[in-house]
Amino acid sequence: MDADIDTYQFHPKRTHQGLALVIANFTEGEDRREGAGSDLKYMKKTFKRLGFKVDCHENVKGSELVSILNKCSQQMSTSYDCFVFAISSHGMEFVQKDKMGNSVQQHVIEMFDGEYIYTKDILDYFNDRKCKALKNKPKLLEASADSCINILDWFWQHLD
């Protein structure tokens, strides 16, 4: 595909330009994150101003996230021009050996019940093969996860 040719375009007359899935974890409880509630409030407000339909969730458990991601990727509307997944949570970064013995940097996000999910697994739900409605459309993962990980404004496209 020629990088200079746009394969999608925004449609100003649409009600929503895209879908923003927004999650804020640890807004309460023993491991409460200072500012997590504000993260949710401001992400919701920002994406609405940008013309997105916003789907917000708070204090999501691991199994709930899997369900949310499955439902979102399978029921994604072709009427959206782009997709954003934004999460505010705890997380960590570490090095892991792959099958060939190479060191690979990994990032995980902690869910409200203490389960961890790899960011690569989140990305996989929305690749062109699994989420055909977003094929050749921009996708954005914004993760603000304290404890070593900080992946901000990480554009990802065409994972296949």
Side-chain angles (χ1 to χ4, degrees), residues 128-155:
D128 289 350
R129 195 176 61 258
K130 290 186 180 176
C131 187
K132 296 196 186 313
L134 291 175
K135 186 171 184 170
N136 296 324
K137 295 181 180 179
K139 305 161 206 66
L140 168 71
L141 167 66
E142 191 283 321
S144 178
D146 57 10
S147 297
C148 302
I149 179 177
N150 192 6
I151 307 169
L152 294 174
D153 300 333
W154 180 14
F155 276 97

Side-chain angles (χ1 to χ4, degrees), residues 24-119:
N25 279 338
F26 302 100
T27 59
E28 61 184 41
E30 186 178 309
D31 293 327
R32 184 178 180 274
R33 294 179 67 244
E34 194 66 38
S38 294
D39 287 349
L40 182 65
K41 174 183 166 186
Y42 290 118
M43 285 190 289
K44 180 179 180 178
K45 185 177 181 179
T46 298
F47 288 118
K48 278 190 173 191
R49 282 184 175 173
L50 292 170
F52 283 79
K53 177 181 179 184
V54 182
D55 182 14
C56 292
H57 300 269
E58 197 170 345
N59 299 324
V60 175
K61 296 177 183 175
S63 61
E64 292 171 336
L65 181 64
V66 169
S67 177
I68 290 167
L69 294 172
N70 268 322
K71 181 179 177 185
C72 187
S73 69
Q74 291 172 4
Q75 296 178 2
M76 182 66 65
S77 172
T78 56
S79 67
Y80 297 131
D81 287 324
C82 59
F83 173 71
V84 172
F85 177 80
I87 186 164
S88 170
S89 191
H90 295 300
M92 67 179 146
E93 182 177 293
F94 58 93
V95 176
Q96 189 175 46
K97 298 284 185 184
D98 66 10
K99 293 176 184 178
M100 302 297 292
N102 300 314
S103 295
V104 179
Q105 194 76 24
Q106 298 289 350
H107 304 98
V108 291
I109 298 172
E110 185 178 1
M111 303 313 297
F112 192 64
D113 59 357
E115 286 188 38
Y116 288 89
I117 185 163
Y118 285 87
T119 55

